[in-house]
């Protein structure tokens, strides 16, 4: 049982490039989330999804887009990367609703130069 | 907006001593309060959680207390061990439909042998 898997684990982008981060979960969870973690800032919610085909904005959505075409996958896209998007990105999923345990992936360290 | 304050940001204790981390939250509708442990290079992992209808919960060496009137909750680790060294995050489930957890900024706990 893999849990929550994120790919890639590391990436370096040039300013203006685009990329997609993939999150896959095998626990049949309804809810999925994308967070970013910056030093001294904790975890901040970018976007989330409450089920296949749904997405919603979190605290810091600007510059990111997401899609949830399949229940097990949640994609995070950066259309035109900026240095301010240098961060560690975590995907998480939870069963049914927000008041249950969230399972996190191992993270993707993204550097935009 | 909704906010979770966490203190201290760093905590150093001797092995065998107790460690206490405190959090306050602003959203009176919050009703779920998890604590996550993040080891270096890994994603956060749930260690204990508490719901608003309970004042205290214990699991071996860790315990969490909740005071809904004062809107604060605390993590207590007794008989600390070097493997307890990590970053700990508190969180509160946001009321309404605005998404998932709001995290504190984290506490880096160091347990010295």
């Amino acid at each position: 049982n893999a849990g929550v898997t994120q790919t890639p684990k590391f990436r370096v982008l040039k300013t203006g490039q685009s990329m997609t981060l993939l999150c896959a979960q095998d626990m049949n969870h309804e809810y999925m989330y994308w967070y970013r973690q910056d030093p001294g800032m904790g975890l901040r919610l970018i976007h989330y999804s409450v089920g296949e085909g749904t997405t919603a904005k979190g605290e810091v959505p600007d510059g990111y887009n997401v899609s949830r075409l399949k229940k097990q996958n949640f994609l995070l896209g950066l259309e035109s990367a900026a240095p301010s998007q240098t961060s560690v990105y975590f995907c998480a999923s939870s069963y049914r609703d927000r008041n249950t345990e969230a399972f996190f992936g191992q993270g993707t360290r993204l550097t935009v130069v | 907006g909704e906010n979770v304050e966490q203190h201290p940001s760093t905590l150093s204790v001797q092995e065998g001593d107790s460690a206490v981390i405190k959090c306050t939250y602003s959203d009176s509708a919050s009703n779920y309060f998890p604590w996550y442990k993040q080891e270096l290079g890994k994603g956060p992992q749930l260690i204990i959680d508490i719901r608003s209808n309970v004042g205290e919960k214990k699991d071996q060496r860790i315990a969490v207390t909740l005071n809904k009137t004062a809107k604060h909750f605390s993590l207590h680790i007794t008989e600390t061990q070097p493997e307890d060294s990590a970053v700990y995050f508190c969180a509160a489930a946001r009321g309404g439909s605005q998404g998932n957890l709001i995290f504190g900024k984290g506490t880096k706990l160091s347990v010295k042998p």
Side-chain angles (χ1 to χ4, degrees), chain B residues 14-88:
Chain B
Q14 287 295 132
E15 182 177 0
D17 288 350
S18 295
V20 180
I21 303 170
K22 299 182 179 181
C23 290
T24 60
Y25 61 97
S26 61
D27 185 356
S28 56
S30 295
N31 57 7
Y32 174 64
F33 307 92
W35 286 88
Y36 285 83
K37 176 183 181 182
Q38 185 178 27
E39 297 177 340
L40 196 62
K42 297 185 178 181
Q45 188 168 13
L46 181 76
I47 55 171
I48 195 167
D49 57 13
I50 191 167
R51 301 182 188 278
S52 58
N53 58 345
V54 175
E56 183 176 3
K57 184 176 178 181
K58 287 184 178 180
D59 183 3
Q60 298 182 8
R61 295 187 298 108
I62 59 174
V64 58
T65 60
L66 171 65
N67 183 328
K68 283 217 75 178
T69 303
K71 289 194 277 188
H72 67 69
F73 56 113
S74 301
L75 177 71
H76 304 252
I77 306 174
T78 58
E79 301 173 16
T80 54
Q81 301 167 3
E83 52 265 38
D84 293 329
S85 297
V87 178
Y88 291 81

Side-chain angles (χ1 to χ4, degrees), chain A residues 7-82:
Chain A
T7 52
K9 289 184 171 50
F10 304 93
R11 185 73 185 267
V12 178
L13 283 180
K14 293 183 179 179
T15 298
Q17 286 185 320
S18 63
M19 79 163 293
T20 300
L21 282 68
L22 172 64
C23 177
Q25 54 93 5
D26 60 3
M27 296 173 282
N28 201 35
H29 284 166
E30 290 292 336
Y31 280 50
M32 296 188 74
Y33 319 87
W34 277 106
Y35 291 90
R36 60 178 289 173
Q37 184 175 38
D38 302 294
M41 298 295 290
L43 291 147
R44 293 182 292 169
L45 183 66
I46 305 171
H47 285 281
Y48 66 101
S49 168
V50 300
E52 183 178 315
T54 75
T55 63
K57 294 180 180 180
E59 296 176 68
V60 289
D62 294 343
Y64 306 94
N65 56 76
V66 288
S67 64
R68 182 101 180 266
L69 299 179
K70 294 182 178 181
K71 185 177 183 180
Q72 64 267 34
N73 295 337
F74 196 28
L75 279 63
L76 178 70
L78 286 73
E79 290 188 346
S80 180

